[in-house]
Amino acid sequence: MNIVVLGAGAWGTALAISAATPAGAGRRVTLWARDAQQAADLKQHRENRRYLSGVAVPEAVQIATGPLHGGATALAGADLVIVGTPMAGLRAMLTLLASQGAPVAWLCKGFEAPLDAAHSIGLMGHEVRAQVAPQLLAGVLSGPSFALEVARGQPTALVAASEHASVRDTLVAAFHSPTLRVYANDDIVGVEVGGAVKNVLAIATGLCDGLGLGLNARAALITRGLTEMTRLGLALGAKAETFMGLSGLGDLVLTATGDLSRNRKVGQLLAQGMNLQQAVDSLGHVAEGVYSARTVAQRARALGVEMPITDAVVALLDGLLLPAQAVAMLMGRDPKDELL
């Protein structure tokens, strides 16, 4: 199998490394970097020194760069194309790949920012694909995973989600290994909602941890956050059981509690007194929850879905609430039945 990974960030690099391990005999892996200088550095040092410092990139991973339009060399003979860009770059990449014959899957999680006033609702990856490349056989690879641990070969489970069985089967064949277990799921809506909302909720739990509110408060936020995630997913047509799986509860717990979580770190830094720009600049990586929180809240309002934790995060990010005020707003809500 010829696997092409477009985007040499942490996650794209980690998957390329994982696919090229000895267990992946018969796989040919190409990692494409947009930046020619980064590609040269990867070739020279066999290490992604910016995003995955200290992890070797096997010689079996071919490094490529250059334009992707037309008959791009990097895409020649591809059996599977993985898009490893942030959500902001997905539309352009899927437009470019619209006539691609091989299955395409993206790694980014979140909602695309609204394009303009006439398109005021941000979209998930599968909705973007429906607009720009409806004929493309496509899906998403998601679930609880830190890139560094995948690159190191530590045990991880992921979800390959697509409405097309052939895409799910291809993703499983491409990445399933003794250390990376890949489960198939046809509920791409639920998988993408889980991947988007958990980033927003992780900011809230990072805030909770940064303020030293304790483990009880963290557990409450995670549990009520899962309820918010499920509400939105059901309103968008997802299956309830998806949110009790890897891309729902699993990804939420990891991102909300793990020290490698960039979104959780944003919440912690805000609690420590940094403003949003300082917190984002200190990361050196994209924290998708910062960019998708407003869009999650907008979609929820448009559907009449109540998401108080998400609303509090948006107010915090917009500078309308201080960290302690955001917590007070959540704790001061009127009593209600748990299952509502």
Side-chain angles (χ1 to χ4, degrees), residues 51-195:
Y51 294 110
L52 285 175
S53 178
V55 180
V57 177
E59 293 292 338
V61 176
Q62 300 181 47
I63 308 300
T65 189
L68 291 175
H69 55 77
T73 303
L75 294 172
D79 297 307
L80 173 66
V81 179
I82 299 295
V83 178
T85 65
M87 181 57 72
L90 181 62
R91 177 175 293 267
M93 193 63 78
L94 291 181
T95 300
L96 185 150
L97 295 169
S99 60
Q100 179 68 35
V104 173
W106 50 90
L107 308 177
C108 47
K109 300 174 181 179
F111 283 77
E112 180 187 53
L115 298 178
D116 49 46
H119 302 83
S120 59
I121 296 296
L123 304 177
M124 290 176 286
H126 73 277
E127 295 172 318
V128 174
R129 194 270 303 173
Q131 282 191 351
V132 302
Q135 74 283 7
L136 194 64
L137 292 175
V140 62
L141 198 61
S142 191
S145 53
F146 289 135
L148 182 61
E149 293 190 358
V150 171
R152 287 174 172 170
Q154 294 176 263
T156 302
L158 297 176
V159 175
S162 174
E163 61 189 16
H164 307 289
S166 61
V167 175
R168 301 193 297 269
D169 292 344
T170 301
L171 286 167
V172 172
F175 296 109
H176 198 84
S177 75
T179 60
L180 188 61
R181 185 169 182 83
V182 183
Y183 291 85
N185 191 324
D186 64 359
D187 182 18
I188 192 170
V189 177
V191 168
E192 289 215 298
V193 169

Side-chain angles (χ1 to χ4, degrees), residues 278-302:
Q278 290 171 330
V280 171
D281 289 346
S282 73
L283 294 178
H285 296 250
V286 174
E288 288 283 11
V290 172
Y291 304 102
S292 62
R294 296 173 187 85
T295 307
V296 170
Q298 288 168 354
R299 288 296 292 262
R301 283 195 296 272

Side-chain angles (χ1 to χ4, degrees), residues 195-218:
V197 178
K198 60 95 180 183
N199 285 329
V200 182
L201 300 173
I203 295 175
T205 52
L207 179 72
C208 166
D209 291 344
L211 291 172
L213 300 183
L215 299 179
N216 293 348
R218 180 203 281 180

